[in-house]
Amino acid sequence: MVSKRCCAIALLGALFSIGSCLVAKAQTSPFSTGAKQQAEALLKQMTLDEKLGQLNESSGLVIPGLATEKPDDLIERGGVGSILWQMDVKEINRLQRIAVEKSRLHIPILFGFDVIHGYRTVFPVPLAMASSWDPSVEEQAQHLAAQDARAAGIEWTFTPMVDIARDARWGRIVEGAGEDPVLGSAMAQAQVRGFQGTKIGPDSVLVCVKHFAGYGAADGGRDYDSSYVPEELLQNVYLKPFHAAVEAGAGGFMSAYMDLNDVPASGNHWLLTDVLRKEWGFQGIVLSDAFAVGSLVTHGYARDGEDAAYKAISAGLNMDMASLTYTHNLLKVVKEGKVSEAYIDQMVLPILEAKYDLGLFNHPYVDELKVDSVLNRPEGLALERKLAGRSMVLLRNEGRVLPLSKGIKKVAVIGPLADAARDVEGGWTVEGLFGNGSKSHPVTVLNGIKNKLASDAQVTLVTGAQPSKVYLGMLDQVTGSKPIPPPTPQETADWIAKAKAAVEDADVVVAVLGEMANMSGEAASRATLDLPGIQEQMLEAVVATGKPVVLVLENGRPLDIGWASEHVPAILEAWYPGTEGGNAVADVLFGDVNPGGKLPVSWPREAGAEPLYYNHNLTHDPEDRPGFKSRYWDIASKPLYPFGYGLSYSTFKFANLRLSKNSMSVSDTNEVSVDVTNTGSVSGDAVAQMYIHQRYGSASRPVRELKGFERIALQPGETKTLKFRLGTDQLHYWNPQSKGWVVEPTEFDVWAGEDSTASLHAEFTTTQ
C-alpha cells in the first residue's frame, strides 16, 4: 500500500531535487491463515454481547481503588476476553475453567502480565540489555522469560517497551533501549523474536509493544505528562522502533496514556489507524494501557464513558484494559449506529486469532505439576549471569585499577545497594510486585565478591542509610511500600564514620551506589539525578582516605556522577543486573569477564542538561567549531560520557575506512568497510559503530545518526574487517516539506569508531 504522505516535491530553489519517494511495506498478519479461518467461523456463532466481551480485559485481582470485584460472573456470560494481574496458577486455572466450561461458546481467556525482564529468573533491566549492543542478549533473555511465563499460565506480555527516551529524568527510561532509533529498533525486534519465536504458536508468548506512541517525550521528563512531538520527529525517531516491531511480526500493541499533540493516544485515530494499520499494515491487537479508555474522560477528550468507548473503538483500539468502559458502554454505541457490528467483528477477529495460534482452544490450562521444574531450571541462572556481564559498561579505569586481583585479602564493600537483594533485580519483577520474594534468590554484589575470593579473605560491609523516596508512587501503593525518612545529621555522621573505619584496614574499596529499584520505573521520574541520600558523602569520605576505590552503580538511569568521574579511579555501570547480578559484577571486577558494553544514552553532567541526545540538529554555532565553549555558562553542554561510550580491559584501533562508491544514485547502495584491531594484551569485545550526516537538503538533518553497529570478539593482535550497508533504508528520512520519505541528491559524511564522537571519516555523494 502506498502511503498517502509519500510524494515527490518540486525543486527547491536551484539546489537539488528530491530523490526516490519511498513507500511503506505491506505487512501480513502476525497470525496464521488457519487461525483466521477458525476465528471467522467462531465469530459467526457469537452474539453481539459475546463479541463485545472479547474486547474487555479485566483485572484478575481485587485491588482497592483499582478493581473492586473478581470477574467470575462476567466470564461466565462471555464478557471477558483477557485477564491481567493474576499470577497464581491455581487461580488462573480456576478462572479459565469458568470460561471454557461454563460460558456458552467455551472461548478461553488470554492471561497477560508485564514480563519485562524475566519471570522467576530476572534478567538485567532492558536499558542494561540494550547496553550490550548485542540484540541476541535481548532475544536469549526474552526467550527464556517466555518459556517461564508460558509454563506459569501467562500467554501475553505487556512488553517490549520501545519508547525512545531522551531525558534521564523520566523514570521509565529503565524499561527501554535509550535514545537512538536504530539501536532501539534492533532491540525491539530481538524481543519480539524472543517472546514469539519465528511465528506465534503454542510455545509463544504474545508481545504487546508499548507505549504507542511518543510516551518517552513527556514534558519535563514527568511520567504521564503530555507529549508534543512534530510529525517529522515522530516519523524519523519515535516511531522507528514501533515500525521495526511490526516488521518483526509483533502480535500486539499498547496505546499510551498521555496526550500526543493534544489528542490522547488511546483515542488517536491518526496513530492507531492511519499510521499503525493503514501505513504499516498492522493486523494484530491494540490494547489500551491500564484504565486509559476511561481516562479519556479525565483528559477532557471524551464527554462521558459512552463517548470514551466510541472514540477509543473508532480510533482503532481493540481492547480496553481494566476500566470496563467498553463493557458498560459499547453495546449502546453499536445499537445507536455509531459503530457497526461489522467493525466490531474486525476488532474481535485478531483476539480470537491469537487464542487459536497460541493453542488455547486445545490446551487452555496450566500444568500445575510442571511449573516449578520449569521456573527453577539452573540453566536460567547461568544464562542470566552471562548476559548481565555482557550488559555492563566500564565508564572509567584510571591507572588500570581494574581488574582486581583474586588474591586480595581485605575488601571494604560500602553503600546501601551492596547487599540489597530486592534492588539488584530492579523494578517490574513478578516476585517484587505480587510475590513474597521467597522464590527468588538474588545474588548481591557483596555475596558475589565473597563468592569470588578465597575463604580466608576478609570482606567488610557498611551499608549506609537507605535513601529516602519522598514521593509514594503508584507501584508503591500496589506493593505497600512506605516512604523512608531521611537520616538525622547524627545518623549521617555515624554512617560515614563506620565507612571510614572499614576502609582504613582494607586493600580496596568497592562502593555500590545508585538508586533503590523503586526509584526508577513507572511514576518514578526525578527532578534531580543526584546520588540519593548520603551516598555522595560516603563516597567522598572513603576516597579521601587514599585507598583505591571502585564505584559500582546500580540504577535505572544516568546519574550525576560528576565528582566521581574526576576522583574515583574506576567506575562500572552495572544498571540493575538481575538475579545473578552480584556474581556477574564480580566476574567483571576480577577479570573473568572483560566488559564490552556501551552506553545507549548520552550521559548528562547534571539534570539541568536534560533532555540530552547526540543526534541533534546543527545550529548557527556548531559544537565542532574551534571557538565553541558551551551552551551553558555554568557547565559544559556536552555529555559527561557520549552515546555509544564504554571502555574495555583491551584497547582497539579502527582504521582503513573505505566506501565501495564515492558517488551513487539515490536508489543505489553503498558498502562501508572498516578494519578493527585488538591492540591490547587480552581478548575483548569491540562494538563498531557507523554514523552518517547529510550535509544539506530540503530539511536540516542531525549532526550524526547511527546507521549500523556490530559487536565482535577479538583476540590480542587480531584484526577483523566489518562491512555496513548504506542504502535507501539508511539514507532516507521523513521530509517535513514533502510529507513523505525521501532520499536526496546531496553529500554525506561517514564516521566509524567506538562511540558517537568517532573521528575516522569518509564522504560520498548521492545523485539523482
Side-chain angles (χ1 to χ4, degrees), residues 387-674:
L387 300 186
R390 201 163 177 79
S391 300
M392 294 177 192
V393 184
L394 183 62
L395 296 177
R396 184 172 164 88
N397 194 20
E398 295 299 308
R400 301 189 70 83
V401 170
L402 295 177
L404 300 173
S405 168
K406 295 177 185 175
I408 289 176
K409 293 302 181 182
K410 295 181 179 180
V411 182
V413 184
I414 72 164
L417 291 162
D419 197 32
R422 182 65 66 89
D423 295 297
V424 75
E425 292 186 321
W428 271 120
T429 64
V430 174
E431 289 294 324
L433 284 172
F434 293 103
N436 57 18
S438 63
K439 296 181 180 179
S440 183
H441 305 283
V443 179
T444 65
V445 173
L446 174 72
N447 289 325
I449 291 173
K450 287 181 176 180
N451 294 339
K452 189 66 67 173
L453 297 179
S455 58
D456 62 344
Q458 178 181 325
V459 181
T460 304
L461 171 68
V462 178
T463 61
Q466 191 178 49
S468 169
K469 187 182 180 191
V470 178
Y471 176 65
L472 186 62
M474 184 192 77
L475 297 183
D476 298 311
Q477 294 177 33
V478 174
T479 60
S481 304
K482 302 297 183 185
I484 303 164
T488 65
Q490 184 58 53
E491 289 172 329
T492 297
D494 290 345
W495 278 117
I496 293 174
K498 289 178 183 179
K500 292 176 71 174
V503 167
E504 285 179 1
D505 194 36
D507 299 319
V508 67
V509 182
V510 178
V512 189
L513 309 180
E515 302 173 306
M516 303 296 106
N518 64 359
M519 290 181 173
S520 290
E522 187 168 355
S525 297
R526 292 184 60 191
T528 72
L529 299 176
D530 300 342
L531 287 169
I534 66 170
Q535 294 182 91
E536 181 81 22
Q537 295 164 271
M538 290 183 71
L539 182 63
E540 293 183 16
V542 299
V543 169
T545 66
K547 293 296 178 75
V549 177
V550 177
L551 172 59
V552 175
L553 293 169
E554 288 184 10
N555 46 302
R557 53 161 66 83
L559 298 175
D560 183 347
I561 55 170
W563 187 90
S565 70
E566 295 182 8
H567 298 93
V568 179
I571 304 175
L572 178 68
E573 176 53 87
W575 307 109
Y576 297 115
T579 303
E580 283 285 303
N583 284 328
V585 167
D587 289 341
V588 174
L589 294 183
F590 291 92
D592 291 328
V593 170
N594 188 350
K598 303 287 185 178
L599 291 177
V601 291
S602 301
W603 196 289
R605 297 176 185 274
E606 59 181 65
E610 294 292 346
L612 183 68
Y613 46 94
Y614 84 95
N615 50 351
H616 56 82
N617 283 9
L618 285 165
T619 71
H620 78 284
D621 185 19
E623 293 180 0
D624 58 358
R625 284 186 177 174
F628 180 84
K629 299 297 182 184
S630 177
R631 304 246 182 256
Y632 301 108
W633 67 264
D634 50 350
I635 63 167
S637 56
K638 291 185 178 180
L640 185 64
Y641 300 109
F643 173 81
Y645 173 85
L647 301 175
S648 168
Y649 299 150
S650 305
T651 54
F652 302 96
K653 178 183 178 182
F654 285 71
N656 198 19
L657 179 64
R658 54 207 181 273
L659 306 176
S660 61
K661 298 168 185 175
N662 293 323
S663 181
M664 56 181 275
S665 75
V666 293
S667 59
D668 207 348
T669 299
N670 212 331
E671 185 178 78
V672 181
S673 302
V674 64

Side-chain angles (χ1 to χ4, degrees), residues 51-115:
K51 293 173 184 178
L52 298 179
Q54 290 299 304
L55 307 182
N56 170 42
E57 182 173 62
S58 290
S59 171
L61 292 175
V62 175
I63 304 175
L66 298 178
T68 57
E69 59 185 27
K70 288 189 177 183
D72 295 32
D73 292 342
L74 200 56
I75 294 172
E76 188 170 345
R77 299 197 305 270
V80 177
S82 177
I83 286 177
L84 76 161
W85 299 329
Q86 180 52 252
M87 313 306 298
D88 181 87
V89 294
K90 294 185 181 297
E91 181 66 4
I92 287 174
N93 276 342
R94 187 189 73 81
L95 294 172
Q96 189 72 284
R97 286 192 180 92
I98 297 173
V100 172
E101 298 173 16
K102 294 185 178 181
S103 69
R104 187 179 75 88
L105 291 176
H106 318 296
I107 301 173
I109 297 290
L110 183 60
F111 287 87
F113 190 75
D114 303 77
V115 184

Side-chain angles (χ1 to χ4, degrees), residues 264-276:
S266 294
N268 194 312
H269 188 277
W270 178 78
L271 267 180
L272 305 185
T273 296
D274 293 346
V275 174
L276 183 58

Side-chain angles (χ1 to χ4, degrees), residues 367-378:
D367 188 337
E368 297 176 25
L369 298 178
K370 292 184 178 180
V371 175
D372 284 341
S373 64
V374 174
L375 298 187
N376 293 316
R377 292 170 295 165

